[in-house]
Amino acid sequence: MPSGDTDRIALLQGSLDLIVLQALRAMGPLHAYALATRLAQVADERLVLNQGTLYPALVRLEQKGWIKGRWGTTDSGREAKFYGITGPGLRALGRETERWRGLAGLVERLLAEGRS
Amino acid sequence: MIAALRRAVRRLGALVRRDDVEADARREIAAHLALVEEDYRRRGYADEAAARAARLAVGGVDQVLERHRDARSFAWLEDLRHDLGHACRAFVRAPGVAATATATLALGLGATTAVATVTGAVLLRPLPFGPAPERLVRLVASTPNPGADAPPRPVPVAVSLDEARALDAATDAIGGVGLWSPTVVALTGFDDAGHVGAARVSSSTLALLDAQPLVGRRFGPDDDAGDSGAALLGEAAWRRWFNADPAVVGRSLTVQTALGRRRSQTVVIVGVLPSRFTFPAADTALWLALPPAAGAEVIRAPLLARLAPGATTTAALDAIGPAVRAWRRHGRDVRLALVREQEQLVGPVRPALLVLTAAVAVLLLIAALNVTSLLLARALARDREFALRAALGASRGRLVRQSLAESLILGTAGGAAGLVVAAAGLAAFRRLASPLARIDLGSTGVGWGATAFPRLGDASLDATIVAAAFALAVVVGLGIGLAAAFSAGRAGVGASIRVGGATAAGGRAGRALRRGLVVAQVAGALPLLVGAVLLGRSLQHLAATDPGFSSGSVLTFQVALPAAAYPDARLQAFAETLAEGLRQRPGVRHAGYANQLPMVALRDTAGGLWTTPDASRAPAPDAADARLVSRDYLAAIGVDVIAGRGFAAGDGAGQPRVLLVNEALARRQFPGLDPIGRSAYVGRDTTPWTIVGVVADVRQFGLDRAPEPQFFVDLRQWHGGLPLFPTGAYFVVATDGRPESVVADLRALVRRLDAGAAVYNVARLDAIVASTLTRPRLYAVALAAFAGLGALLAAIGLYGVLACLVLERTAEIGVRRALGASRGAVLTLMLRQGAGLVALGIGFGLVAARGLERALASLLYGVEPGEATTTAAAVAFFVAVAALAVIVPARRAGRIDPLAAIRSE
């Protein structure tokens, strides 16, 4: 339930956005299922993602103008909404990647300090 | 930053285009599920298995949609709209519940708003007298009166202007002094030539009070000598008599000062004071400069002072007390005090207002508990709905929000309806608080009785009050919602969908909570009832007090005469002719007149009555009250002659001078002796009077005040010295039938005697007596109303709990009946349930009642707090009401048909 899991979602929020943006940049426009499958592949099945949880991230990113959804058809002829990364999205990805790296580095350093 | 802004705009947009966005999202999720399903089918799943697997991987459409919604919009706002809509639909489905709850809250909130409006205006609002009005103080003295049952009444201490200035200069604790003295004047040259409230004030008093004239100027130091005859007009009088003409400044008025030395004075209007300037009383219409001194005479008047910032009344009194004591030759037993103006004005009504405020708060609490209980009952009834919604994805928070939305709607509806109740309550309060609006009955600061309610004119439902009332309604609504949601949660509502699910464990906790709420309501209602019984008995005692005269069929009135044409002698001749004419009318038993009526709030001693002559007698605070009466007056108002004789036809002018004393004066002046035949002296007059009779004591200044020493002089033998009728003669007519029946007759008679004369202040004597009970009646009625409502609500709560209980235990009762329990046994079972709740509530309530009784102590007359009879009456009343609420459902339980009950399970 949304209200009960705020902690976990807050933790995941930044990283999930980053992963989605990166996937869309690398793969081009994807629909939600394809995106979920792609994430599962990349994560080597370690990241077990309920596909429904993708939607809040997609809504958020689209409202920020970083991705854009368009209705289209899949290879098998079914309708689906395809999300593609936008110009602002690309710039944001750069910024967010930097920030993420900085944060990850900081955490890494802190953990290393604790070990020594 | 831009991204965040863009997102906020789109979230708002999603709120507006809700349906489009929702449809799109639904379509997208459905497409997603179809893709996953197809995938599974390709991997060899059967259709059904594929659909299930897809649902597992993605989640149900509704759950995902809920997340989608949360992210895309301001979920709480959308939820709120949804919740409010849902609540409204729920209320439409069950209008009875909504109406009951709204009405209950409206009564509670309305009563609270009305009382808070009055309390705020009377007790809290600063006086309209410039900055820091709380530092204004009056100097008063009180002399203990041994043997009197009431505490001594503080009287203002008068000083001269020079003395006042000396006091001001003597200490840093005082920053300004002024003199003031209330009076009554008659104005000539106006249509309604009655008396108006007036005040003599020094220029410094107006400065002290920051009086800002609408037009013209206020008094300056030059006016203090009194020779200029400066006068300030009140705004109301200015509008009424001068059409609000600014050119009124400079015009002169002829006033007859009713009290004091000068009988007629021409004054010049120098300005107009606004109606918010209410010193010394709300109906003061005219302010006059201090009177000019005649010869060596020194003008003295009560002292008003402003304390310096930070100074205490104690410090200021320590600084000026010794000097005042020396000047006024106060004895050791005289206590001086500086009383704050606000305290002086509203002190007498503060205890009652605080009690009423507390009582109305308890009433509001009872109403809120009642509605909580109602909502809780409905929540229990809707157990399955909540459980279902919880299972369908509504979070606990969402359910609490739902409950809050409902109670918020009830709260605001109750608040809005409560404003109507408050307006009605305020109007009723005003009506009850308005005695005969006459300056001679003490509605001004002049009198002793002060029967009217101070500062009530300031109480109105203004924007601040309305805003506060709605804020209170919202707070109460939220409180009820939280309490109901919390209790419902505790009771296990929404926790599960039980098989069959009607009555089970969830209900038990809910029932316990509802019983607790009912016990609390009973415990709240009982102190109100005890208080109402106390005040009611007190009022009954007051009303049953024998005033010493009979007022039932007596009409009183006054006659305004052109003052210039009526010196005292002619005035008396007129009065005698009028009385004689009235005696001739059919249906008139007696007709007489006097300088005063019982309950008229002016004291006139004529210097008092003493056993020894003293040509230079000083004014004494314990001087007996003088009544100048016509021969028939005592008979007309039914005062009994106890010993000796009354006035006779032979006691005319030139005959031996005789007078009557009352029992109180006989006891005080001639202890253990027979006063009849003894000589007595009035004031500084050294010619003796002979006492020929003793009359019964009359309660002169209020039914709750012990009779004071009085003596009676026949007007035919009175030689004057003082104005004969300071506030006009009071005529009394004792009739055989209704007193009002002679009004037309007497008006015609007066017109015949003098075409320029006007009859005013027409009132039955019993109405005048009743008007002294204005405040006790107001308090008793208000508290009785609150207590009645509280008891009613508690009884409704009790009924609700028991009715539910019967409903829930129908099956059990059926089994009992089937196993041989008699109808009576079932009835007893249910009655015991109700009696238990009532007893518990009464137990708690009696403890709380002790506190209220103590607070009421100062308002009581003839009853003591804590009397068993009071408590018994309150308990008996409540038990009678509660019995109805208990018996109806209990009888229904007794009538349950065992077979039908078991089958229904």
Side-chain angles (χ1 to χ4, degrees), chain B residues 664-858:
Chain B
L665 184 58
R667 267 198 307 276
R668 192 181 77 180
Q669 224 76 333
F670 306 97
L673 303 171
D674 182 4
I676 291 173
R678 293 179 189 274
S679 296
Y681 303 85
V682 176
R684 295 176 184 174
D685 181 5
T686 51
T687 318
W689 294 70
T690 307
I691 298 172
V692 295
V694 177
V695 298
D697 282 342
V698 163
R699 293 197 179 233
Q700 176 58 36
F701 297 112
L703 290 173
D704 58 338
R705 298 190 54 199
E708 294 182 30
Q710 286 184 318
F711 63 97
F712 298 84
V713 176
D714 194 313
L715 274 161
R716 289 170 293 170
Q717 297 188 328
W718 187 249
H719 49 78
L722 283 170
L724 196 51
F725 302 117
T727 51
Y730 287 89
F731 291 85
V732 291
V733 186
T735 58
D736 288 326
R738 285 178 58 249
E740 290 86 350
S741 60
V742 299
V743 172
D745 257 6
L746 79 89
R747 283 189 193 279
L749 198 56
V750 167
R751 252 196 314 276
R752 239 190 350 265
L753 290 176
D754 188 326
V759 176
Y760 69 106
N761 275 354
V762 180
R764 295 170 59 126
L765 187 54
D766 52 5
I768 292 178
V769 173
S771 85
T772 68
L773 297 181
T774 301
R775 279 191 209 162
R777 190 183 308 114
L778 172 67
Y779 303 152
V781 169
L783 200 54
F786 298 160
L789 278 179
L792 183 69
L793 290 180
I796 291 175
L798 201 59
Y799 171 82
V801 165
L802 288 175
C804 266
L805 202 63
V806 172
L807 218 64
E808 286 164 6
R809 293 177 64 174
T810 301
E812 180 207 322
I813 293 167
V815 171
R816 279 173 191 262
R817 292 275 279 131
L819 291 179
S822 69
R823 180 169 290 197
V826 169
L827 197 69
T828 315
L829 177 77
M830 297 314 295
L831 284 182
R832 202 180 300 142
Q833 293 274 353
L837 294 179
V838 173
L840 200 58
I842 286 179
F844 285 122
L846 286 181
V847 177
R850 285 279 164 270
L852 183 75
E853 286 190 85
R854 266 198 298 280
L856 279 175
S858 69

Side-chain angles (χ1 to χ4, degrees), chain B residues 60-109:
Chain B
V61 176
D62 286 324
Q63 280 94 330
V64 178
L65 260 178
E66 185 92 12
R67 281 179 199 181
H68 200 282
R69 261 181 232 131
D70 279 351
R72 76 169 179 244
S73 181
F74 294 106
W76 58 269
L77 244 175
E78 201 169 323
D79 284 349
L80 182 67
R81 194 161 87 173
H82 191 256
D83 288 342
L84 290 177
H86 190 275
C88 285
R89 283 191 297 279
F91 287 140
V92 169
R93 273 200 306 275
V97 172
T100 311
T102 307
T104 304
L105 283 179
L107 288 174
L109 287 168

Side-chain angles (χ1 to χ4, degrees), chain B residues 536-564:
Chain B
R537 288 183 61 204
S538 171
L539 179 64
Q540 207 178 11
H541 271 118
L542 267 177
T545 301
D546 178 14
F549 55 92
S550 56
S551 56
S553 56
V554 178
L555 188 78
T556 72
F557 63 95
Q558 294 191 272
V559 179
L561 293 165

Side-chain angles (χ1 to χ4, degrees), chain B residues 290-607:
Chain B
L290 293 177
E297 186 193 33
V298 178
I299 301 295
R300 295 201 187 99
L303 178 76
L304 180 78
R306 187 185 281 278
L307 296 178
T312 63
T313 50
T314 327
L317 191 61
D318 286 348
I320 66 167
V324 174
R325 274 181 189 284
W327 291 333
R328 292 295 87 81
R329 283 178 280 168
H330 282 310
R332 278 165 168 254
D333 55 340
V334 174
R335 284 175 47 86
L336 289 178
L338 286 171
V339 183
R340 291 186 191 268
E341 187 63 22
Q342 171 105 13
E343 181 61 29
Q344 146 83 26
L345 195 61
V346 305
V349 299
R350 176 179 292 117
L353 274 187
L354 292 182
V355 166
L356 287 185
T357 307
V360 87
V362 170
L363 178 65
L364 179 60
L365 190 66
I366 295 175
L369 290 177
N370 199 287
V371 173
T372 308
S373 174
L374 197 66
L375 291 189
L376 185 56
R378 212 179 44 141
L380 293 173
R382 280 171 32 186
D383 191 341
R384 298 187 71 181
E385 179 202 330
F386 274 118
L388 204 63
R389 294 185 59 206
L392 285 177
S395 64
R396 174 80 195 279
R398 187 69 194 273
L399 290 177
V400 171
R401 280 207 304 265
Q402 178 64 54
S403 171
L404 282 181
E406 292 187 8
S407 60
L408 212 56
I409 290 179
L410 288 179
T412 29
L419 283 180
V420 179
V421 174
L426 206 56
F429 195 95
R430 265 187 225 285
R431 209 164 39 243
L432 280 168
S434 311
L436 298 174
R438 282 168 50 168
I439 51 169
D440 59 339
L441 293 181
S443 50
T444 70
V446 182
W448 300 88
T451 50
F453 211 87
R455 308 197 70 192
L456 204 52
D458 296 349
S460 65
L461 290 176
D462 53 22
T464 320
I465 293 284
V466 170
F470 266 105
L472 181 66
V474 167
V475 168
V476 168
L478 288 179
I480 290 172
L482 280 177
F486 176 75
S487 320
R490 286 266 306 259
V493 168
S496 60
I497 305 178
R498 245 168 266 106
V499 220
T503 62
R508 189 169 305 149
R511 277 207 300 274
L513 272 162
R514 288 199 68 204
R515 284 184 202 172
L517 291 175
V518 161
V519 168
Q521 289 175 55
V522 174
L526 201 79
L528 299 188
L529 282 170
V530 169
V533 171
L534 266 182
L535 287 188
R537 288 183 61 204
S538 171
L539 179 64
Q540 207 178 11
H541 271 118
L542 267 177
T545 301
D546 178 14
F549 55 92
S550 56
S551 56
S553 56
V554 178
L555 188 78
T556 72
F557 63 95
Q558 294 191 272
V559 179
L561 293 165
Y566 281 88
D568 276 355
R570 212 180 147 206
L571 205 59
Q572 203 188 329
F574 175 89
E576 193 52 51
T577 316
L578 178 57
E580 193 48 47
L582 283 168
R583 275 182 212 121
Q584 309 296 325
R585 313 304 304 180
V588 171
R589 281 188 285 119
H590 302 281
Y593 52 94
N595 63 337
Q596 295 276 289
L597 282 182
M599 308 296 165
V600 163
L602 298 165
R603 191 188 284 272
D604 185 0
T605 63

Side-chain angles (χ1 to χ4, degrees), chain B residues 257-304:
Chain B
T257 47
L259 308 175
R261 205 158 295 94
R262 276 186 132 196
R263 300 236 30 217
S264 192
Q265 186 186 4
T266 301
V267 297
V268 181
I269 297 173
V270 299
V272 177
L273 288 178
S275 54
R276 68 171 176 279
F277 187 78
T278 50
F279 183 90
D283 57 359
T284 304
L286 196 66
W287 291 263
L288 306 170
L290 293 177
E297 186 193 33
V298 178
I299 301 295
R300 295 201 187 99
L303 178 76
L304 180 78

Side-chain angles (χ1 to χ4, degrees), chain B residues 82-164:
Chain B
H82 191 256
D83 288 342
L84 290 177
H86 190 275
C88 285
R89 283 191 297 279
F91 287 140
V92 169
R93 273 200 306 275
V97 172
T100 311
T102 307
T104 304
L105 283 179
L107 288 174
L109 287 168
T112 307
T113 307
V115 172
T117 305
V118 173
T119 307
V122 174
L123 295 187
L124 301 182
R125 198 173 296 174
L127 294 173
F129 300 139
E134 71 281 356
R135 298 210 306 264
L136 292 167
V137 290
R138 290 183 184 190
L139 179 62
V140 297
S142 43
T143 314
N145 191 0
D149 46 1
R153 184 168 295 259
V155 290
V157 177
V159 297
S160 70
L161 260 185
D162 288 340
E163 287 169 339

